[in-house]
Amino acid sequence: MGWFWADSKPSVAVAPHPIPKGAASPPPGCPMHNSSSTSTPPKSRLPDAASIPAGACPYVPPDTPTPASHPPSTSTASPQTAAPSSGGLFNLLNNMPFLSNSRDSTHQTQALPLEREISTIPKSDGSLWEYPSPQQMYNAMLRKGYTDTDVSAVESMVSVHNYLNEGAWAEIVEWERRFSRGLATGWQNCKRGEEGTVSSAMTGIQWADKEVPEPKLVRFTGRPGELTPKAQMMQILAKAWPAKYASEPPFDRHDWFVRRCDKEGACKELRYVIDYYEGPPEPTGEPVFYLDVRPAVDGPVQAAERVMRWGGDVWYRASGGSAREAERQKEEAQSALKMVEEQNQRRRMAQGQN
């Protein structure tokens, strides 16, 4: 979801879908970096093999599925996914060097787990992406210069990192659930707004459509130094109307490339953009994160999808959709109650005749 579906009640503008908080602290870099980051946007839209974004995620996909109970001691590359880089072999699926999964630095004062959690996100070959082990996460942060990282906090950092990415995928699955059958079906799924729609990212990522293949994450890239056009617009609004739109810029950005197939088997690749925001902490001090996930406007179809979902929700709320929905549910409940009373009356009459 995006800013246009945000609840108007909060005094500070935030992206609309909060990620449940935990006791973990944001790791420096991915995807929970300091929200006051002032990194300079790179000149090119995507990094080349010799220019890895300083804040890119240490999310390392394996070349073949590896059970979490048997992680490799080091990451290996195949010719299809590797290219030379200044830091070694370069994985073209996530714009990251292949990270070591062993203790390689004297800065590390205690052992970290080598097991890698299996995600719920399918790759293009049907296997599932794997998240970095705590050891790989720590090695990635050392590579970026964070030599003062608290080793004891790395496992919590990985947990928060993984949970944010699962939340991002749940949002993408919801977009695909609405629009994978075309714009006409998409409008039917959107015309009752967010409140009137049964399915949402909060219902999970299970793909129930038996005719349309589930979407798959082909590749992704981190672009932490580049604000999306929408995020730039929100920053302009924040300067013009700080009382209404004041917010920190997103602390991270990802582009995820997703394969969408129709029931005839024709597939195309779509780009989704994800802005990561940090909201006001809980009274207990626990951090709160928000995701703004939407299709990139790379063509008229993706533009129409965004307009339909935004427009359907705006129209639903502006035209009193919540009140109509409540009235409809009340009428259905009264009708069901009346039916039960009639059945009970017929049963009593039948018993009286006997």
Side-chain angles (χ1 to χ4, degrees):
M1 292 303 300
W3 282 93
F4 294 116
W5 296 275
D7 192 337
S8 59
K9 293 180 181 179
S11 58
V12 178
V14 293
H17 293 307
I19 297 298
K21 53 277 176 189
S25 299
C30 176
M32 298 144 290
H33 197 277
N34 189 332
S35 60
S36 61
S37 173
T38 58
S39 56
T40 302
K43 295 181 180 179
S44 60
R45 283 182 50 125
L46 295 176
D48 56 28
S51 178
I52 312 304
C57 280
Y59 178 149
V60 187
D63 298 315
T64 56
T66 304
S69 58
H70 297 86
S73 58
T74 58
S75 297
T76 58
S78 66
Q80 291 78 13
T81 60
S85 76
S86 57
L89 290 176
F90 178 75
N91 194 319
L92 300 179
L93 296 180
N94 62 356
N95 291 303
M96 280 292 295
F98 286 86
L99 300 174
S100 169
N101 197 23
S102 60
R103 180 174 175 176
D104 299 326
S105 174
T106 57
H107 292 286
Q108 186 171 342
T109 57
Q110 67 182 61
L112 288 171
L114 304 181
E115 290 76 15
R116 298 173 61 180
E117 180 181 348
I118 305 295
S119 77
T120 60
I121 306 174
K123 297 169 67 176
S124 56
D125 61 2
S127 62
L128 298 177
W129 290 85
E130 285 184 286
Y131 292 118
S133 69
Q135 182 65 63
Q136 285 178 310
M137 174 73 83
Y138 184 74
N139 290 344
M141 289 187 289
L142 288 180
R143 180 182 176 275
K144 297 173 186 177
Y146 298 106
T147 57
D148 59 345
T149 299
D150 183 1
V151 180
S152 63
V154 172
E155 290 186 64
S156 296
M157 295 176 185
V158 171
S159 296
V160 176
H161 167 275
N162 297 357
Y163 193 77
L164 283 176
N165 282 293
E166 291 293 321
W169 182 248
E171 291 285 349
I172 290 175
V173 168
E174 175 57 21
W175 279 96
E176 292 297 307
R177 188 182 287 133
R178 293 174 185 241
F179 291 103
S180 60
R181 285 180 170 267
L183 293 178
T185 303
W187 173 245
Q188 295 300 316
N189 293 330
C190 294
K191 67 180 181 180
R192 293 174 61 193
E194 298 302 308
E195 295 180 11
T197 302
V198 175
S199 61
S200 72
M202 303 306 290
T203 63
I205 62 172
Q206 296 299 321
W207 189 256
D209 197 325
K210 302 300 182 182
E211 296 183 356
V212 177
E214 67 175 337
K216 294 179 174 60
L217 176 60
V218 179
R219 66 185 188 281
F220 58 92
T221 184
R223 300 169 65 180
E226 299 180 67
L227 290 180
T228 62
K230 185 177 179 182
Q232 293 178 26
M233 180 185 69
M234 296 308 300
Q235 292 307 300
I236 293 174
L237 292 175
K239 292 180 180 179
W241 295 283
K244 185 175 182 179
Y245 294 102
S247 68
E248 293 292 330
F251 59 81
D252 199 5
R253 171 197 173 173
H254 283 186
D255 284 13
W256 288 19
F257 296 84
V258 175
R259 177 176 297 171
R260 173 190 295 179
C261 299
D262 58 24
K263 60 183 180 181
E264 283 77 26
C267 300
K268 58 182 177 181
E269 189 173 289
L270 305 174
R271 181 169 65 97
Y272 280 84
V273 290
I274 308 170
D275 286 325
Y276 295 82
Y277 291 87
E278 184 175 3
E282 292 291 313
T284 57
E286 296 175 329
V288 177
F289 302 102
Y290 296 84
L291 301 180
D292 186 357
V293 183
R294 67 277 187 196
V297 185
D298 292 334
V301 173
Q302 286 67 50
E305 290 177 0
R306 290 174 64 164
V307 169
M308 283 184 180
R309 194 166 182 184
W310 170 71
D313 188 57
V314 169
W315 171 252
Y316 181 81
R317 291 187 283 110
S319 61
S322 298
R324 291 198 309 273
E325 187 69 19
E327 184 65 25
R328 184 185 65 82
Q329 292 177 357
K330 181 180 178 180
E331 292 176 355
E332 290 179 352
Q334 291 176 344
S335 177
L337 180 61
K338 183 178 179 180
M339 185 179 299
V340 171
E341 291 177 350
E342 291 176 351
Q343 291 176 349
N344 290 337
Q345 185 176 2
R346 287 196 297 267
R347 188 180 299 110
R348 286 193 297 266
M349 292 177 61
Q351 291 174 351
Q353 293 175 355
N354 294 334

